[in-house]
Amino acid sequence: MARQVRRAFKYRFYPTEEQAAELSRTFGCVRLVYNKALEERTRAWHGEKRRISYAQSSALLTQWKKTEELAFLAEVSSVPLQQALRHLQTAFVNFFAKRAAYPRFKSRKRSRASAEYTRSAFTLRDGRLTLAKLGAPLDIRWSRPLPEGAEPSTATVSCDRAGRWFVSLLCQDTIAGGPATDALVGVDAGITALVTLSSGEKIANPRHERRDRARLARAQRNLARKAPDSANRDRARRKVARVHARIADRRRDFLHKLSTRLVRENQTVVIEDLAVRNLLKNRRLARAISDAAWAELRSMLEYKCAWYGRDLVVIDRWFPSSKLCGTCGTVRTKLPLNFREWTCECGVVHDRDVNAARNIRAAGLAASACGDGVRPQRDTSRTGRSSAKQETQRATAGTPRSWAEEEVK
């Protein structure tokens, strides 16, 4: 069954010097407007207990443009500035709904440099995209075609830390449903094997960061020797950023292929609700866990299952998938990380990861049958009850920890 979804198509482009300068100015103005609006809203709330709406923020922007100090805001396109105010409004809506933390100020060095243009601020004709205030069309590498007859609603221009320029076009696209299948698979995430399937298949962890670790270390040592605020330091910083970008691109490509395969081959995918943020507190495993990118894999599975009409079942993180014998139901008290195989009291020898994946599949089958465990809300430290507190309470009560929580101990 075909579905209509909003889908972003991202392309790389190569701006001229004039275009790069104008876009960089726009990025700076967007960041300034966002920060000033956030400052005004924070001051109004803490000082006067008064909320400022999007309309009031827009009126403030008009006033800022009329001042001598901020008159340069009128020299760039007004659309990205208005979009920055809309994004701030969305951030506050999410904060008051307890879905996110309080909005933070954007940093020139750490925040993503981007600007969003709506239909009134760009034109797309015959494969030529022209943004407001730029004059000439962008030199885009059209790596894949846009959906036939699609009219992009927004165009987001960004520049990453490696100096690469991208434009993302948001379009309405038709996604055909996946091939009919009744297969159900349990997925156990790990470090040695990135995922282990309930069928017994293990997909090795490519360890992209480890493969480029020597190159990254050389680039970082070279950066450390440069004088602060010098042109040489800026060039060295970009070399470091390019290594990071290479690692991230290869990791993302691998996860896209893996998640697409899982969604296409199975009607139901069952995973564990891992507390990745808590696992990263372990200094010995944090680097390997970050390189595995379990959270990114879960995010891909979530939206691809929605696209292709599949079911994603997320079982409780306290389910003892590794320590539970899938034959007799016995639960081991302890199962250290170095125990890759273990023998149950009933005499069955279990491969740790395969046994966990099969138990996850069985738990997902039971959860989907009774309607529980499908896409639960993720725990955050902002909800008033952190995952760390839950872990302590559940452990004190004698509830078995999940395999991942046990492994980091």
Side-chain angles (χ1 to χ4, degrees):
M1 181 179 178
R3 288 174 171 79
Q4 292 290 327
V5 300
R6 299 177 68 193
R7 188 175 183 179
F9 292 81
K10 189 174 182 180
Y11 305 94
R12 189 171 181 181
F13 73 96
Y14 297 86
T16 63
E17 292 184 5
E18 294 77 10
Q19 290 175 337
E22 180 63 27
L23 289 173
S24 297
R25 290 178 58 199
T26 303
F27 294 159
C29 292
V30 166
R31 183 175 58 251
L32 174 63
V33 168
Y34 185 96
N35 288 342
K36 282 190 67 64
L38 176 56
E39 181 182 8
E40 287 294 327
R41 296 181 73 143
T42 303
R43 181 193 57 78
W45 174 253
H46 290 289
E48 308 170 17
K49 296 299 180 182
R50 175 174 60 89
R51 292 187 181 184
I52 296 181
S53 64
Y54 163 75
Q56 293 171 321
S57 298
S58 181
L60 286 174
L61 175 59
T62 303
Q63 297 177 10
W64 295 337
K65 291 181 180 180
K66 296 178 180 179
T67 63
E68 182 178 356
E69 180 184 3
L70 300 176
F72 60 87
L73 293 176
E75 299 176 2
V76 301
S77 175
S78 62
V79 173
L81 306 184
Q82 293 290 342
Q83 290 299 101
L85 297 180
R86 289 190 176 94
H87 293 162
L88 179 61
Q89 176 66 20
T90 302
F92 271 101
V93 169
N94 292 333
F95 167 70
F96 289 123
K98 297 184 179 181
R99 292 191 296 265
Y102 192 82
R104 295 183 297 179
F105 291 97
K106 292 185 179 294
S107 168
R108 182 177 64 86
K109 294 183 178 180
R110 297 182 180 180
S111 299
R112 176 172 174 261
S114 65
E116 184 177 274
Y117 296 79
T118 58
R119 284 294 304 172
S120 61
F122 72 88
T123 58
L124 178 61
R125 296 174 184 171
D126 300 326
R128 296 166 65 87
L129 178 67
T130 306
L131 303 178
K133 299 287 187 177
L134 292 190
L138 301 179
D139 182 16
I140 301 177
R141 299 296 183 265
W142 298 100
S143 54
R144 55 176 174 168
L146 290 173
E148 185 176 355
E151 292 291 338
S153 58
T154 62
T156 303
V157 181
S158 61
C159 181
D160 65 9
R161 298 290 291 173
R164 303 180 302 176
W165 294 83
F166 297 95
V167 59
S168 180
L169 302 176
L170 185 62
C171 305
Q172 195 76 12
D173 192 16
T174 302
I175 302 294
T181 179
D182 294 329
L184 184 147
V185 65
V187 181
D188 176 66
I191 295 177
T192 304
L194 181 61
V195 296
T196 302
L197 307 184
S198 54
S199 61
E201 178 184 359
K202 293 187 177 183
I203 300 176
N205 187 354
R207 299 181 183 268
H208 297 294
E209 187 272 338
R210 174 178 288 185
R211 293 168 62 182
D212 281 346
R213 186 172 296 177
R215 179 184 301 182
L216 180 60
R218 286 195 300 269
Q220 289 174 331
R221 286 195 299 268
N222 187 37
L223 173 63
R225 290 192 292 264
K226 304 303 179 184
D229 300 325
S230 64
N232 285 338
R233 184 175 181 83
D234 186 63
R235 284 193 291 269
R237 180 196 60 76
R238 291 207 173 190
K239 288 184 179 180
V240 174
R242 282 197 291 269
V243 178
H244 280 295
R246 167 186 166 90
I247 295 171
D249 289 346
R250 295 168 65 188
R251 179 189 298 125
R252 189 180 305 110
D253 178 72
F254 181 84
L255 293 179
H256 269 300
K257 293 175 180 177
L258 173 60
S259 58
T260 300
R261 176 199 161 186
L262 292 176
V263 171
R264 287 184 182 274
E265 294 180 353
N266 302 278
Q267 176 60 38
T268 304
V269 180
V270 189
I271 60 175
E272 278 185 304
D273 184 23
L274 298 178
V276 178
R277 183 178 299 179
N278 289 345
L279 300 179
L280 291 176
K281 296 178 182 179
N282 184 286
R283 297 181 61 183
R284 295 184 178 181
L285 296 176
R287 196 167 192 172
I289 293 173
S290 297
D291 192 23
W294 297 333
E296 188 172 2
L297 176 61
R298 171 174 172 169
S299 177
M300 291 180 181
L301 288 173
E302 286 177 346
Y303 77 79
K304 289 182 181 181
C305 283
W307 277 7
Y308 295 101
R310 306 306 198 189
D311 297 322
L312 179 66
V313 179
V314 185
I315 66 172
D316 189 78
R317 69 182 54 168
W318 313 112
F319 177 68
S321 57
S322 291
K323 296 181 289 186
L324 173 66
C325 175
T327 302
C328 66
T330 302
V331 179
R332 286 182 62 116
T333 305
K334 294 183 179 180
L335 188 61
L337 180 60
N338 59 338
F339 281 55
R340 307 316 301 173
E341 289 187 357
W342 58 280
T343 304
C344 180
E345 297 175 354
C346 63
V348 179
V349 179
H350 292 292
D351 179 284
R352 179 195 188 103
D353 298 331
V354 175
N355 177 65
R358 290 173 178 170
N359 288 332
I360 291 171
R361 182 187 185 278
L365 187 62
S368 59
C370 61
D372 296 332
V374 180
R375 298 189 184 95
Q377 294 291 330
R378 299 188 185 185
D379 294 327
T380 64
S381 58
R382 314 176 187 98
T383 59
R385 186 182 181 192
S386 68
S387 300
K389 292 180 181 178
Q390 292 182 17
E391 178 183 353
T392 302
Q393 294 169 357
R394 298 292 289 270
T396 304
T399 303
R401 298 189 183 104
S402 68
W403 73 272
E405 301 290 349
E406 181 67 30
E407 285 181 353
V408 299
K409 296 300 180 181

